[in-house]
Amino acid sequence: MADSVTELGQIPGGDSQIFPVEAECIKQRVDEVLHWVDSLEHKLKEVEEFYSSIGVSNSGSSCKDTEKGRHVVGIRKIQQEAARREAVAAKRMQDLMRQFGPIFRQITQHKCAWPFMHPVNVEGLGLHDYYEIIDKPMDFSTIKNQMEAKDGTGYKHVMQIYADMRLVFENAMNYNEETSNVYSMAEKLLEKFEEKWAQFLPKVQEEEKIREEEEKQAATEALLAKEASHIKTTRELGNEICHVNDELEKLRHIVVERCRKITTEEKRNIGLALLKLSPDDLQKVLSIVAQADPNFQPRAEEVNIEMDVLDEPTLWRLKFFVKDALENTMKKEEETKARALSGAQKKEVSNKRNATNKLAERRTKRARV
């Protein structure tokens, strides 16, 4: 499709009967179509990347499966469902944290809990190295405030409470000597807390399992919605490509009607040029002819191209294609010769260097004698 647009842009120059203003209008329209094609290619690339990422070929079967009745949820509905699911999950977690409340009260009311009820008075106790040893201070009053916060700054998950509870005891055991009373109280209270947490843990695990299943479901629905969106885009691309082809055909006819006819001499030159083309380029020539003539058999054992029966658009396409193909072939041959010449020059320089080295060696031997 892009090649066809490029060919339209190659409006014959010196022999053209198109007035300058009209030619400029056609050129402007060609540029618009080129921009249109670039946009379509970008959309097509996005669709192909999507199907490649999920390991599915973007074929008609995918569209057929969807059209047969596979349930696809819209993007907006997925967003609403995700918000609802998140709200329900948050409510369940709030309930789970409330169920954790009795465990927290039992630990904080224990006779060994008093050293950990409030933040450590670092300055008052002269603990100058406290912040060098403890990265994150924690205490029961801070945890309680976080559990009761109503402004959205509190705990979002019961595991956060568990982590901070452990941190209280670990900080005390890291800073104090093992022989100290505070260390012993922290160790004893940690053991009691872990016993109660072990009984509570199945509820947490059940909630995690529910959340995991919900996340899988949400991911599946999101994927289906994206696929539905890309299926719609694919259909739209198909329609737009048809419109582009129609526009190209209109422009081609306008250009051909305004331009002169291909002369007999030009037809002869095209035929002679075909003899110089590579097999690959010849196959492309046959494809160009086949596009204009549905009855033409490009893969027959013997193919004859009758220049006199070809229409003007096909002749112009062949003329431009042959010209470009021969120029490309000549360019490649020149590059090959240049590389060969460069190799020969390197070899010549190497031979001269070897000869110079041998001459120097002989002179050195004579000097020694």
Side-chain angles (χ1 to χ4, degrees):
M1 181 168 61
D3 292 340
S4 300
V5 177
T6 305
E7 290 166 5
L8 276 174
Q10 300 174 344
I11 300 174
D15 297 317
S16 174
Q17 296 178 354
I18 301 178
F19 294 108
V21 174
E22 189 177 12
E24 183 61 31
C25 291
I26 293 175
K27 182 179 181 301
Q28 181 178 352
R29 184 53 184 156
V30 170
D31 291 339
E32 291 173 356
V33 174
L34 281 171
H35 181 72
W36 190 3
V37 170
D38 289 340
S39 174
L40 293 180
E41 289 179 345
H42 179 71
K43 292 179 182 178
L44 183 59
K45 184 178 180 182
E46 289 182 348
V47 173
E48 290 175 343
E49 288 178 350
F50 168 75
Y51 283 103
S52 176
S53 67
I54 63 175
V56 177
S57 174
N58 181 18
S59 61
S61 61
S62 178
C63 296
K64 291 178 182 178
D65 290 342
T66 303
E67 291 170 354
K68 285 179 181 178
R70 187 176 63 180
H71 180 61
V72 178
V73 186
I75 294 292
R76 182 175 297 178
K77 188 173 181 180
I78 281 183
Q79 293 174 342
Q80 294 173 348
E81 179 62 21
R84 185 200 66 79
R85 189 183 294 117
E86 185 63 28
V88 172
K91 186 176 180 180
R92 290 199 310 266
M93 183 55 65
Q94 288 294 328
D95 183 61
L96 197 60
M97 288 191 287
R98 279 194 294 271
Q99 294 179 43
F100 179 82
I103 297 177
F104 178 76
R105 287 192 292 273
Q106 290 174 20
I107 296 300
T108 56
Q109 292 173 4
H110 194 273
K111 62 181 181 179
C112 295
W114 65 267
F116 318 111
M117 293 302 299
H118 301 285
V120 175
N121 186 1
V122 176
E123 294 184 2
L125 298 174
L127 308 178
H128 306 297
D129 59 346
Y130 187 80
Y131 294 114
E132 296 177 5
I133 299 173
I134 303 303
D135 295 328
K136 182 183 177 182
M138 186 56 59
D139 64 278
F140 291 152
S141 64
T142 299
I143 294 175
K144 186 173 184 293
N145 291 335
Q146 284 284 91
M147 290 174 65
E148 296 175 352
K150 304 296 184 182
D151 57 356
T153 61
Y155 293 115
K156 302 295 189 297
H157 199 292
V158 71
M159 289 299 297
Q160 294 174 322
I161 307 176
Y162 169 74
D164 279 352
M165 289 287 287
R166 281 192 57 89
L167 186 60
V168 172
F169 307 125
E170 290 171 353
N171 284 350
M173 295 167 69
N174 286 335
Y175 186 77
N176 296 276
E177 298 291 337
E178 292 185 16
T179 55
S180 68
N181 289 333
V182 173
Y183 185 99
S184 298
M185 296 167 76
E187 186 177 36
K188 182 177 181 179
L189 208 54
L190 175 59
E191 182 179 354
K192 191 172 188 63
F193 170 67
E194 289 292 0
E195 289 176 359
K196 294 185 177 299
W197 176 258
Q199 298 173 3
F200 186 76
L201 186 58
K203 295 181 180 181
V204 180
Q205 293 173 332
E206 179 63 24
E207 172 60 24
E208 290 297 314
K209 184 177 179 180
I210 294 174
R211 287 201 171 198
E212 184 178 348
E213 292 298 324
E214 289 178 344
E215 289 174 359
K216 287 181 179 179
Q217 181 181 352
T220 301
E221 291 176 354
L223 183 62
L224 289 175
K226 285 184 180 179
E227 186 173 0
S229 174
H230 282 87
I231 290 172
K232 180 181 177 183
T233 301
T234 301
R235 294 196 191 99
E236 293 173 349
L237 280 172
N239 294 333
E240 286 196 75
I241 289 172
C242 291
H243 293 157
V244 169
N245 287 331
D246 291 342
E247 188 67 21
L248 290 175
E249 194 61 31
K250 291 178 184 177
L251 287 171
R252 182 180 292 114
H253 281 295
I254 291 173
V255 172
V256 171
E257 288 174 0
R258 301 297 190 275
C259 293
R260 64 169 177 78
K261 305 295 183 181
I262 293 285
T263 64
T264 302
E265 181 65 20
E266 286 177 313
K267 293 179 183 179
R268 178 175 174 277
N269 290 336
I270 293 173
L272 294 174
L274 294 179
L275 302 175
K276 303 177 183 179
L277 295 180
S278 66
D280 289 341
D281 287 335
L282 277 175
Q283 194 60 46
K284 294 177 182 177
V285 166
L286 297 179
S287 298
I288 292 174
V289 177
Q291 290 176 16
D293 183 6
N295 298 322
F296 182 75
Q297 300 295 328
R299 299 191 179 278
E301 293 183 2
E302 184 175 345
V303 178
N304 293 320
I305 300 178
E306 298 291 340
M307 293 293 174
D308 292 333
V309 300
L310 296 177
D311 58 17
E312 289 297 316
T314 304
L315 289 172
W316 278 112
R317 290 187 67 187
L318 289 177
K319 179 176 180 178
F320 288 127
F321 177 80
V322 168
K323 177 177 176 293
D324 291 341
L326 292 179
E327 287 178 354
N328 290 335
T329 300
M330 186 178 299
K331 184 179 179 181
K332 291 178 181 178
E333 290 177 351
E334 290 176 353
E335 291 176 351
T336 301
K337 290 179 181 178
R339 287 195 295 269
L341 180 60
S342 176
Q345 290 174 340
K346 290 180 180 179
K347 186 175 181 180
E348 183 180 355
V349 170
S350 177
N351 291 338
K352 289 182 179 180
R353 185 182 296 110
N354 292 336
T356 301
N357 292 338
K358 290 179 180 180
L359 180 60
E361 289 176 3
R362 288 198 295 269
R363 289 177 179 175
T364 302
K365 289 180 181 179
R366 290 177 184 173
R368 290 176 181 173
V369 175

